[in-house]
Amino acid sequence: MKDTIYTIPLTDAFKADDECPFCFIKRKLEQDAISFILGCAYMEDDIREVTDHMGFCKEHYKKMYEYGNRLGMALMLHTHYVKLQKELEKQLEAFSPSKSSLLSKFKTKNSPSDSLNQLSSWTKMQDQSCYICDSINKNFERYMSTFFHLITHNEDFKKLFTSCKGFCVSHFGDLMAMAETKLSSKQKEEFYPMLFSKMKENLKRIEGDISWFIDKYDYKNSDADWKNSKDAIPRGVQKLAGIYVQDPTFKEK
Ligand SMILES: [Zn+2]
Ligand SMILES: [Zn+2]
């Protein structure tokens, strides 16, 4: 595998000194997707057809609203509404209520999933379907594949890995899941200990930063140096939840 369009952004993410290079990539992918769709892509028929069908998730409706371009958003919402009403019409036509019995009432109480009918499944699907999430996930998987290629073939990248600050819990999970299929047994023997010590050493480091942040509230330490603790909370949250709480709202330039 030669260098791909993913190699340079991935290498840059590992050089960014971020608490998790994959959070760094995901944020970039998300911002690119938002500015793409609200830039002028919503005017293209083939893309609009996909957004009409998929819609967006709660989080991304919010982020798109905050981004700006209200006219673009209104145009997308409008054709999505047209499509949604047609689909709902089909769903309503096909719907037939199940027979209620005393037994089924008991069942519903015990396990709500038993009570899912085709219409509630359909609304759940609307909730989960998102053009932006979909675009992020597709690209993210390619970055992950590129990571496993580089870590097993490129010595310079391996050095970058050893000097990075580890990963957030969620992306550590993604790495573990993908390593199972991407690496040979021999490669796993080398990769897992490297990854595990990265995780342990960096969780410990952040715990120390948070601890010093707390100690700084003691009047005895008021003149002491902040060391690395000033932004211990946002970095601490990122390591746990993979989000940048301190980021300003992403807005149209
Ligand atoms: Zn992450
Ligand atoms: Zn989404």
Side-chain angles (χ1 to χ4, degrees):
M1 189 167 114
K2 54 184 185 320
D3 274 5
T4 66
I5 48 162
Y6 303 99
T7 312
I8 292 170
L10 185 69
T11 311
D12 288 347
F14 272 83
K15 287 179 183 165
D17 205 31
D18 197 282
E19 287 301 340
C20 173
F22 289 108
C23 286
F24 187 88
I25 283 184
K26 212 156 198 175
R27 174 172 60 185
K28 175 88 171 59
L29 286 175
E30 183 179 60
Q31 293 181 345
D32 285 352
I34 294 172
S35 18
F36 172 74
I37 195 67
L38 284 169
C40 53
Y42 65 89
M43 297 296 282
E44 288 165 31
D45 290 346
D46 52 335
I47 289 173
R48 190 73 157 274
E49 207 174 298
V50 185
T51 63
D52 287 350
H53 174 70
M54 295 189 91
F56 301 89
C57 68
K58 292 181 177 68
E59 189 187 343
H60 287 130
Y61 275 127
K62 172 111 171 55
K63 287 187 174 170
M64 283 161 62
Y65 186 75
E66 288 167 344
Y67 179 79
N69 189 0
R70 295 286 150 79
L71 175 62
M73 192 151 171
L75 288 166
M76 267 192 295
L77 281 176
H78 181 252
T79 45
H80 181 52
Y81 261 85
V82 173
K83 175 98 178 165
L84 186 87
Q85 289 175 87
K86 275 186 201 150
E87 280 177 21
L88 177 65
E89 201 56 54
K90 270 190 226 157
Q91 290 289 331
L92 296 179
E93 265 170 36
F95 177 72
S96 57
S98 59
K99 289 253 184 306
S100 296
S101 67
L102 198 57
L103 188 68
S104 68
K105 273 182 192 161
F106 278 121
K107 254 190 170 172
T108 307
K109 262 186 194 160
N110 289 339
S111 55
S113 61
D114 283 353
S115 67
L116 274 184
N117 61 41
Q118 72 218 51
L119 266 171
S120 61
S121 311
W122 179 77
T123 60
K124 278 217 160 53
M125 250 171 58
Q126 304 304 312
D127 255 355
Q128 284 158 5
S129 165
C130 173
Y131 175 84
I132 293 176
C133 282
D134 191 61
S135 145
I136 296 171
N137 292 340
K138 275 182 195 150
N139 282 299
F140 192 73
E141 226 178 282
R142 291 187 189 127
Y143 276 111
M144 278 271 173
S145 297
T146 309
F147 168 83
F148 281 107
H149 173 75
L150 290 175
I151 200 75
T152 48
H153 291 81
N154 185 314
E155 282 307 315
D156 288 340
F157 188 79
K158 217 188 256 178
K159 275 185 208 139
L160 269 182
F161 177 88
T162 13
S163 60
C164 86
K165 288 181 166 171
F167 307 92
C168 72
V169 175
S170 157
H171 292 135
F172 166 62
D174 288 344
L175 284 171
M176 287 305 297
M178 217 170 198
E180 279 302 308
T181 56
K182 290 278 175 192
L183 302 180
S184 67
S185 300
K186 197 169 176 304
Q187 287 168 331
K188 281 178 198 168
E189 264 173 43
E190 188 188 356
F191 177 68
Y192 284 151
M194 269 195 327
L195 177 63
F196 296 166
S197 66
K198 254 301 105 203
M199 285 307 289
K200 288 197 281 187
E201 136 207 342
N202 285 287
L203 287 174
K204 189 86 209 142
R205 171 179 55 81
I206 294 213
E207 190 214 308
D209 290 348
I210 296 170
S211 175
W212 181 239
F213 184 94
I214 296 165
D215 289 348
K216 269 290 287 169
Y217 277 76
D218 189 327
Y219 74 96
K220 283 182 283 182
N221 292 325
S222 58
D223 291 331
D225 192 77
W226 273 98
K227 298 179 196 168
N228 274 331
S229 292
K230 241 179 190 163
D231 60 349
I233 294 178
R235 285 187 295 108
V237 171
Q238 187 199 343
K239 211 48 146 190
L240 297 175
I243 50 167
Y244 295 93
V245 281
Q246 83 281 29
D247 267 5
T249 306
F250 181 59
K251 283 192 168 142
E252 189 180 18
K253 286 198 185 87

